Amino acid sequence: MSSPVDPTKTQAWPRLADLFENFDPDLRAWFADDPERAATFTLTAGDLHVDLSKNLVTAEVRDALLELAEQTGVLARRDAMLAGEHINVTEDRAVLHTALRRPVSDQLVVDGQDVVADVHAELTKVYAFADRVRSGDWVGVTGKAITTVVNIGIGGSDLGPVMAYEALRPYGDAGPECRFISNIDPTDAATTLTGLDPETTLFIVASKTFTTLETLTNARLCRSWLLDGLRQVDALAPDDTADRAAVAKHFVAVSTALDKVADFGIDPANAFGFWDWVGGRYSVDSAIGTSLVLAIGPENFADFLAGFHAVDEHFAKAAPAENVPLLMGLLNVWYVNFFGAETHAVLPYAQYLHRFPAYLQQLTMESNGKSVRWDGSEVTSDTGEVFWGEPGTNGQHAFYQLIHQGTRLIPADFIAVANPAHPLQDGDADVHELFLANFFAQTRALAFGKTEAEVRAEGTDESVVTAREFSGNRPSTSIMAPELTPSVLGQLIALYEHITFVQGAVWGIDSFDQWGVELGKQLAKELTPAVAGDEVALAAQDSSTVSLISYYRSRRDGSGRSPA
């Protein structure tokens, strides 16, 4: 790849700086003066209806941001990514999560391999396995059908599957229940396994290299739980052959390390692979989504993939001024680099999306939390922002105070669907309409606020007038869809994947590596002997770490409980 363009050295950057210097946002006036503002800044991507009109943007700012994208080579880098060039330079890899959802009729040869054919070959294996489990043809070692699937993974091998499973629960009525273990805290495994029947439980171990510390530790805990449980009901002979037979019927893997999979006891024929051009946080639409396929079925998963592809096509082909992920990514750059925004709220008014903000935390912050550019030079501007959020009216009663009246600018994305999965009435009231009234009201309140004059006109005591004033001009984007289908969920994920890409491309960073997660893991391995009682290893640590480990060891009684 060529060296990144320094965004601060482009002609567009000082133009944006000048626009910001003289910027006096007034959403009330903008809407009053331009009856077409909402229409001008409302766009469509797939089934997503995206209203950008309540952002702090004018046509002049939008055009300057599009110039910045052109001058930093965002669209050229997009095209290079889609073509399979090795834009992940620190790992010398292509970045091809978009190939995971291309139709079988497509062809894309990268490094001598038709990656689309490879993807569909693996999908065929996953779909066939899912059909066997869902139909009851695949049974456990005692002949009972599988009723519960436990996905063991961490990071992208957990956040994507659990988010999508929660989002698409209404589509999972014919499949097994899914549970998820990720944290190495033993509480996670212990509580997740509580109440399960070893005879009807299937485990998916999701680790590309089959070496991930947390995942393999939890996998061994689950293997012991399975074998112990089967023995307690006299379903398993006390020998290694019986153990391996049981593991082979109750464990499958998502991994390419077939030798390690086999050593664990999993039949390599029941290992589903993916490729080094798929980053973990971009992998829910690969075999990492096997638990989701088991839950919602191959047909719905194919619809999920089609949703991704619809937004991929939009990002690849829509004109820049109508390109939703391009514009949303550029707006984020506008807020981060010129307004100094440090966080970004994602507020789904759809309860099934309650894990979506957590999913986006990894996608955005692991991708763009970088301080060097892809050529190793230091960045020339701020990068990344903290993504966070909670669903619906829960957040209104928790942190919206800060968004409405705090001193910090917090751009916010509001997400809602027109048709709920569970339409309910409270007397004559449509509860979903009550819910969406809040969705519409919040973006209006953020945009237009309430003036002192309006507060006084309500007869408010003068002593609290200023406390009840709302400044307005707090930016938000509204994203709506007809309903939360597998396709719509895929579209939402792809939208944010490409928003993240756009920001990284402007900043000149490699959004597809994650070296920042490695140091802590490396040090944890080095510290393990000290924690376990190795005095030499302990003495080699800094005084704070020595003090903390000594505190722990003096209070650990060996039973897993602190002494009284």
Side-chain angles (χ1 to χ4, degrees):
M1 286 296 296
S2 59
S3 297
V5 175
D6 182 346
T8 67
K9 302 299 183 184
T10 63
Q11 292 180 346
W13 194 274
R15 181 184 173 193
L16 285 163
D18 288 342
L19 286 169
F20 175 74
E21 185 68 25
N22 300 296
F23 205 55
D24 185 19
D26 189 344
L27 285 167
R28 282 194 179 212
W30 292 349
F31 274 90
D33 295 344
D34 180 7
E36 298 300 313
R37 180 175 172 85
T40 299
F41 287 102
T42 297
L43 303 168
T44 300
D47 295 311
L48 304 180
H49 176 89
V50 182
D51 182 352
L52 304 174
S53 65
K54 294 189 183 79
N55 279 279
L56 305 184
V57 63
T58 62
E60 188 176 18
V61 170
R62 176 201 59 200
D63 293 345
L65 287 169
L66 289 171
E67 289 177 9
L68 179 66
E70 180 180 358
Q71 292 167 14
T72 52
V74 172
L75 299 186
R77 188 164 172 81
R78 172 202 64 188
D79 295 341
M81 175 181 73
L82 297 176
E85 294 186 28
H86 286 211
I87 68 168
N88 179 353
V89 295
T90 70
E91 297 176 296
D92 191 21
R93 292 175 179 173
V95 175
L96 283 173
H97 48 281
T98 54
L100 296 170
R101 50 264 195 160
R102 290 178 65 156
V104 68
S105 57
D106 281 4
Q107 184 182 56
L108 179 63
V109 177
V110 176
D111 299 331
Q113 194 71 25
D114 183 352
V115 296
V116 177
D118 290 346
V119 165
H120 282 275
E122 209 63 34
L123 274 176
T124 298
K125 284 179 58 180
V126 172
Y127 288 172
F129 172 69
D131 283 337
R132 289 189 65 192
V133 173
R134 288 167 60 85
S135 68
D137 179 53
W138 178 289
V139 295
V141 72
T142 62
K144 293 183 179 180
I146 299 299
T147 60
T148 307
V149 171
V150 178
N151 186 87
I152 309 169
I154 198 165
S157 299
D158 170 75
L159 285 165
V162 71
M163 178 276 293
Y165 175 72
E166 292 293 327
L168 299 177
R169 274 186 177 272
Y171 293 85
D173 56 347
E177 177 196 0
C178 290
R179 298 189 184 186
F180 300 86
I181 299 174
S182 57
N183 201 337
I184 199 172
D185 183 337
T187 302
D188 195 10
T191 56
T192 301
L193 295 173
T194 297
L196 297 187
D197 180 354
E199 295 182 76
T200 59
T201 300
L202 176 74
F203 296 93
I204 301 172
V205 185
S207 172
K208 184 187 296 186
T209 62
F210 224 73
T211 59
T212 309
L213 172 66
E214 297 90 343
T215 299
L216 269 294
T217 300
N218 281 325
R220 289 189 293 268
L221 291 174
C222 290
R223 182 174 59 186
S224 296
W225 173 88
L226 172 77
L227 299 177
D228 290 345
L230 291 173
R231 289 197 178 94
Q232 287 174 12
V233 295
D234 296 324
L236 195 64
D239 59 68
D240 290 344
T241 300
D243 287 358
R244 293 191 71 85
V247 170
K249 295 298 291 182
H250 290 268
F251 277 82
V252 299
V254 179
S255 179
T256 53
L258 297 185
D259 54 339
K260 295 182 176 65
V261 166
D263 289 343
F264 185 87
I266 297 172
D267 185 344
N270 299 323
F272 310 106
F274 59 116
W275 304 270
D276 63 8
W277 41 258
V278 183
R281 56 195 176 277
Y282 296 92
S283 67
V284 66
D285 45 341
S286 72
I288 287 294
T290 296
S291 58
L292 184 61
V293 184
L294 290 166
I296 68 174
E299 184 175 342
N300 283 320
F301 193 81
D303 191 42
F304 180 56
L305 298 181
F308 279 95
H309 185 62
V311 172
D312 293 344
E313 289 287 280
H314 171 87
F315 183 50
K317 298 176 180 178
E322 299 173 357
N323 196 306
V324 175
L326 175 63
L327 290 171
M328 289 184 70
L330 291 170
L331 282 171
N332 288 357
V333 170
W334 175 234
Y335 293 132
V336 169
N337 293 123
F338 296 94
F339 285 81
E342 296 183 346
T343 78
H344 192 111
V346 178
L347 309 168
Y349 279 66
Q351 182 62 29
Y352 281 123
L353 287 174
H354 69 105
R355 292 293 292 166
F356 194 55
Y359 173 77
L360 293 183
Q361 286 175 355
Q362 185 195 21
L363 172 64
T364 60
M365 294 161 68
E366 193 167 271
S367 295
N368 287 341
K370 312 287 172 63
S371 56
V372 297
R373 301 189 294 172
W374 72 66
D375 64 352
S377 60
E378 291 186 10
V379 297
T380 57
S381 66
D382 286 337
T383 65
E385 64 264 71
V386 176
F387 269 69
W388 60 282
E390 283 289 332
T393 52
N394 292 11
Q396 292 177 202
H397 291 266
F399 51 76
Y400 277 38
Q401 170 67 39
L402 178 64
I403 301 178
H404 280 286
Q405 290 186 305
T407 60
R408 302 179 185 278
L409 181 80
I410 303 174
D413 298 344
F414 288 75
I415 304 171
V417 296
N419 296 287
H422 307 287
L424 298 174
Q425 295 286 129
D426 178 22
D428 294 332
D430 182 318
V431 177
H432 190 61
E433 291 185 354
L434 293 175
F435 185 42
L436 287 197
N438 284 273
F439 170 83
F440 299 126
Q442 289 298 327
T443 61
R444 179 177 171 180
L446 287 167
F448 307 127
K450 183 184 283 189
T451 65
E452 286 189 29
E454 288 170 334
V455 175
R456 288 192 178 94
E458 295 174 343
T460 305
D461 186 278
E462 190 65 28
S463 65
V464 293
V465 165
T466 55
R468 298 182 67 172
E469 177 191 0
F470 292 75
S471 66
N473 295 317
R474 309 278 178 138
S476 69
T477 295
S478 298
I479 303 170
M480 298 194 73
E483 58 185 315
L484 186 56
T485 62
S487 174
V488 164
L489 181 63
Q491 292 171 49
L492 285 169
I493 298 170
L495 172 64
Y496 281 92
E497 287 178 347
H498 299 318
I499 290 168
T500 301
F501 171 87
V502 168
Q503 293 178 251
V506 169
W507 292 323
I509 59 180
D510 185 343
S511 297
F512 303 100
D513 61 15
Q514 56 280 331
W515 298 108
V517 306
E518 297 300 322
L519 178 58
K521 294 194 296 185
Q522 175 187 338
L523 292 177
K525 291 180 180 179
E526 294 176 6
L527 279 166
T528 297
V531 177
D534 185 324
E535 296 299 331
V536 174
L538 181 63
Q541 309 308 319
D542 64 274
S543 60
S544 172
T545 303
V546 169
S547 174
L548 289 167
I549 292 175
S550 298
Y551 175 89
Y552 158 74
R553 290 196 53 79
S554 70
R555 285 157 179 80
R556 179 65 184 266
D557 67 353
S559 69
R561 293 183 295 273
S562 295

